[in-house]
Amino acid sequence: MTASPHAVHLAQLNVATLLHPFDDPRVKPFVDLLDPVNAAADDAPGFVWRLVEEGAADATGLRPAGEDVIVNLSVWETQEALWDFAYRSGHLEAMRRRREWFARHAEAHLVLWWVPAGHLPTVGEALERLTDLRAHGPSPRAFTFASSSTAAEAARHLGDVPSATSPATGGHRRPGEPLERPVRSPDVRAGVHPGPQGRRSS
């Protein structure tokens, strides 16, 4: 497979607050959906990378935004590719049932932003973009599907990524696609990064 033809990719962070502990039987239907939905993401057109905990198949064990908050962080070649996966695949079933497992958010819980192709965002970087969206509303630096910005509009923000001075996270990437070494950003709550790995397209 050849390298991605896109100079920029779309990163997304979604946070969800559990109504019950993760091992509660009431959350089991969601847990049962994780493997098939993640497998569908890995095989979806335009998928680049998703955050996973080291030694695990997903990131549900990472709680950088709170003990009851699950984070989903991924990178896609285009906004259309992410939209198609989110709303035109088996992922839609999980979205339709989310109120069974997750609390309603009074503020933004999804943020999108453009990154240079090859850059894998850290959890700290992603949470900072969500904070930006919540504080200032949609902008080319942090936006939503409903109030999106083009890569051209976000061009001056593409340099707003952490410098590669800390140990890199791992990952699984599309063969032939070069990737810079992403850095660990401080956890916004605990002061340390949980040390996740990643799953990239194959």
Side-chain angles (χ1 to χ4, degrees), residues 110-144:
L110 169 74
V111 63
L112 310 175
W113 71 102
W114 296 103
V115 297
H119 173 72
L120 302 183
T122 62
V123 174
E125 175 188 343
L127 290 173
E128 188 277 326
R129 298 290 177 141
L130 181 61
T131 298
D132 186 298
L133 175 65
R134 288 174 171 176
H136 307 293
S139 72
R141 191 173 185 277
F143 53 92
T144 65

Side-chain angles (χ1 to χ4, degrees), residues 151-167:
E153 292 170 331
R156 71 185 183 90
H157 300 290
L158 292 177
D160 295 353
V161 297
S163 59
T165 57
S166 301

Side-chain angles (χ1 to χ4, degrees), residues 36-48:
V37 169
N38 285 334
D42 293 347
D43 292 336
F47 168 78
V48 176

Side-chain angles (χ1 to χ4, degrees), residues 49-70:
W49 171 88
R50 64 180 172 88
L51 178 72
V52 302
E53 183 181 10
E54 184 173 3
D58 55 53
T60 54
L62 301 175
R63 303 297 170 85
E67 288 304 314
D68 58 348
V69 180
I70 290 177

Side-chain angles (χ1 to χ4, degrees), residues 17-198:
T17 303
L18 288 163
L19 290 172
H20 314 287
F22 195 70
D23 58 357
D24 189 291
R26 288 169 289 186
V27 182
K28 187 176 186 302
F30 168 73
V31 176
D32 290 342
L33 284 171
L34 283 173
D35 284 347
V37 169
N38 285 334
D42 293 347
D43 292 336
F47 168 78
V48 176
W49 171 88
R50 64 180 172 88
L51 178 72
V52 302
E53 183 181 10
E54 184 173 3
D58 55 53
T60 54
L62 301 175
R63 303 297 170 85
E67 288 304 314
D68 58 348
V69 180
I70 290 177
V71 300
N72 177 282
L73 174 60
S74 62
V75 176
W76 299 77
E77 290 186 346
T78 65
Q79 184 170 320
E80 292 75 18
L82 174 58
W83 175 273
D84 285 346
F85 168 71
Y87 296 102
R88 297 173 181 168
S89 74
H91 178 265
L92 186 59
E93 178 185 354
M95 291 187 61
R96 286 172 172 163
R97 299 183 61 186
R98 65 188 181 279
R99 298 301 174 219
E100 299 177 29
W101 314 306
F102 302 109
R104 288 183 177 273
H105 284 271
E107 52 190 353
H109 61 90
L110 169 74
V111 63
L112 310 175
W113 71 102
W114 296 103
V115 297
H119 173 72
L120 302 183
T122 62
V123 174
E125 175 188 343
L127 290 173
E128 188 277 326
R129 298 290 177 141
L130 181 61
T131 298
D132 186 298
L133 175 65
R134 288 174 171 176
H136 307 293
S139 72
R141 191 173 185 277
F143 53 92
T144 65
F145 279 123
S147 301
S148 63
S149 295
T150 66
E153 292 170 331
R156 71 185 183 90
H157 300 290
L158 292 177
D160 295 353
V161 297
S163 59
T165 57
S166 301
T169 58
H172 168 73
R173 63 181 170 85
R174 187 184 306 279
E177 183 174 356
L179 288 168
E180 67 180 49
R181 290 174 62 82
V183 301
R184 292 181 179 175
S185 293
D187 184 304
V188 296
R189 297 179 65 254
V192 295
H193 190 278
Q197 300 296 302

